[in-house]
Amino acid sequence: MAETIRVIIAGPRGNMGKEAVLLVNRTPTLELVAAVDSRNEGKELREVEGMPDESARVYTDMERCLQDVEADVLIDLTNPEAGKVHMDLALDYNVRPVVGTTGFTEEDVKRLRKKAEDKELGAIIAPNFAVGAVLMMKFSQMAAKYFEDVEIIEKHHDRKLDAPSGTAIKTAQLISEVREEKKQGHPDEKEEWEGARGAGMEGMHIHSIRLPGLVAHQEVMFGSSGQTLTIKHDSINRESFMPGVKLAVETAMKLDTLVYGLENIME
Ligand SMILES: NC(=O)C1=CN([C@@H]2O[C@H](COP(=O)(O)OP(=O)(O)OC[C@H]3O[C@@H](n4cnc5c(N)ncnc54)[C@H](O)[C@@H]3O)[C@@H](O)[C@H]2O)C=CC1
Ligand SMILES: O=C(O)C1=N[C@H](C(=O)O)C[C@H](O)C1
C-alpha cells in the first residue's frame, strides 16, 4: 500500500480550499495534519462551519503551524501575498509546496526554484489544475506556430483578485515560446478608451472579464486571412481542479526542483 502523504491546507474556507479539504478527506493516501486559515485559531477543522469531519488543528500563523506539525506537503490556495510568504516558509521547514494560488511573477518562480533546488525539495506552482485547461493551453501553443495573431479572453467570477488570470499569463508565456513578437492590429491603432485593447505581452492581447455567475473560463482566439480558430475551456465547478491537485501532491513528493505548470508533470 502507498505511504500516506501528510498535508497542510492553507485557505480551507475558500472556494478552492473547501474542495481541497474534501479531496484529502476522501483520499486514503492523503492525511490532513493541519489547516492554516485567516481565522479560527486553535479549533479543530470540523468545528468550523461547512467543514467535513476532520480533526486537524487550525492555525492562523503559518510559521507556528510548520513548527508544530510534521507535514510532507503544503497545499496553498489563498491569495498572492499570503501564498508567496507561505511558499517560502514551507521550503524553510522542508515541506513541499503545491501552490494553486496565482499572482506569482517569473522572478518569484526563479527565486523559489533556486531555493527548492538548494534544499532538494519538490515544489509545484500550477496556475491551473484542470486537465482540460492545461490541454487548452497546449493546443493554443500548437496553433500559435501557424497563427501569429492571437487574443486571449479570460472570464472569471467577480471575487477574483488578480487580472490577468494566472492561466492567461501562462498561456501567453507558452505561446511566446513558439511565436515571434508581433504588434497586432492596425499599425496606427489608437485606444480611444484606455484599456480597450486589453493587456499586452509581445503584441498579444489579453482581455479579462469579471462577472458574477462565472467560474473560470478562457478562449484563445487565433486569426489569419479568411479564417479564425477558437480554443475554449470552461471550468463549471472547482471539483474540476482536484484531480490535478492530487497529481501535483503525489508528484511533488518525487521531485527535487520546482515545476511551474501542470503540463510539465502530466504524462
Ligand atoms: N491553480 C488553480 O487551478 C486555481 C487557482 N485558483 C487560485 O487560488 C487562489 C484562491 O482562490 P479561491 O479559493 O477562489 O479564493 P477565496 O477567496 O475563495 O479563498 C481564499 C481563502 O484564503 C484565505 N486566506 C487569505 N489570507 C490567508 C492567510 N494569510 N492565511 C490563511 N488563509 C488565508 C481566505 O480567508 C479565504 O478563505 C486564488 O489565487 C486563485 O486565483 C483558483 C482556482 C483554481
Ligand atoms: O481565481 C480563480 O477562480 C482561478 N484562478 C486561476 C487563474 O488565475 O488562472 C485558475 C482558474 O482560472 C480559476
Side-chain angles (χ1 to χ4, degrees):
M1 185 164 142
E3 251 177 56
T4 304
I5 303 173
R6 297 163 300 180
V7 175
I8 299 171
I9 295 179
R13 285 178 303 110
N15 294 319
M16 281 292 282
K18 259 185 229 153
E19 282 299 333
V21 170
L22 291 173
L23 168 74
V24 173
N25 185 258
R26 68 175 173 258
T27 307
T29 50
L30 304 180
E31 182 195 356
L32 189 66
V33 291
V36 179
D37 189 6
S38 39
R39 52 176 122 111
N40 297 308
E41 172 64 39
K43 285 190 179 168
E44 287 189 10
L45 198 60
R46 61 179 153 221
E47 296 169 323
V48 176
E49 200 190 330
M51 289 293 122
D53 189 17
E54 282 284 354
S55 59
R57 192 198 139 147
V58 180
Y59 291 80
T60 50
D61 184 277
M62 175 62 78
E63 185 151 20
R64 209 149 67 71
C65 172
L66 291 162
Q67 284 164 349
D68 277 8
V69 172
E70 291 280 325
D72 301 302
V73 171
L74 163 71
I75 302 176
D76 191 89
L77 298 159
T78 56
N79 60 48
E81 292 72 35
K84 287 175 200 177
V85 174
H86 290 171
M87 186 159 184
D88 252 307
L89 282 170
L91 290 171
D92 288 340
Y93 283 85
N94 299 316
V95 172
R96 294 157 190 262
V98 167
V99 176
T101 305
T102 46
F104 284 66
T105 63
E106 285 186 77
E107 289 70 41
D108 293 328
V109 173
K110 211 165 142 192
R111 185 183 63 75
L112 289 159
R113 179 173 292 124
K114 165 126 187 23
K115 185 162 177 171
E117 285 176 357
D118 287 348
K119 302 214 77 171
E120 296 180 19
L121 286 173
I124 296 180
I125 299 177
N128 201 314
F129 285 116
V131 171
V134 176
L135 293 176
M136 172 264 296
M137 291 187 255
K138 291 297 284 178
F139 295 156
S140 300
Q141 189 185 42
M142 283 168 69
K145 273 192 186 169
Y146 307 97
F147 290 85
E148 56 188 11
D149 289 79
V150 52
E151 306 260 336
I152 299 171
I153 303 124
E154 58 96 340
K155 308 175 203 174
H156 282 85
H157 57 94
D158 67 346
R159 303 291 88 200
K160 185 160 180 58
L161 293 173
D162 51 321
S165 69
T167 308
I169 294 170
K170 180 71 179 168
T171 308
Q173 289 167 340
L174 287 171
I175 290 175
S176 78
E177 287 174 16
V178 299
R179 173 185 175 274
E180 291 293 316
E181 182 159 356
K182 182 194 173 192
K183 184 182 183 307
Q184 296 181 184
H186 195 287
D188 300 330
E189 178 182 278
K190 182 165 154 255
E191 276 187 339
E192 301 295 348
W193 286 12
E194 197 188 320
R197 293 288 287 121
M201 181 191 170
E202 296 181 3
M204 283 176 261
H205 295 259
I206 305 179
H207 310 271
S208 297
I209 290 166
R210 299 289 178 262
L211 282 174
L214 291 170
V215 179
H217 318 261
Q218 182 168 292
E219 288 174 34
V220 185
M221 197 167 175
F222 297 91
S224 71
S225 179
Q227 58 180 324
T228 64
L229 169 68
T230 304
I231 301 170
K232 179 172 182 282
H233 176 260
D234 298 281
S235 269
I236 56 170
N237 61 37
R238 272 91 183 182
E239 217 182 308
S240 63
F241 302 108
M242 293 306 127
V245 174
K246 181 167 180 280
L247 173 68
V249 169
E250 289 164 353
T251 309
M253 293 300 293
K254 301 175 202 152
L255 296 172
D256 55 9
T257 184
L258 184 156
V259 167
Y260 169 54
L262 203 72
E263 69 280 8
N264 297 307
I265 62 166
M266 272 167 59
E267 304 243 312

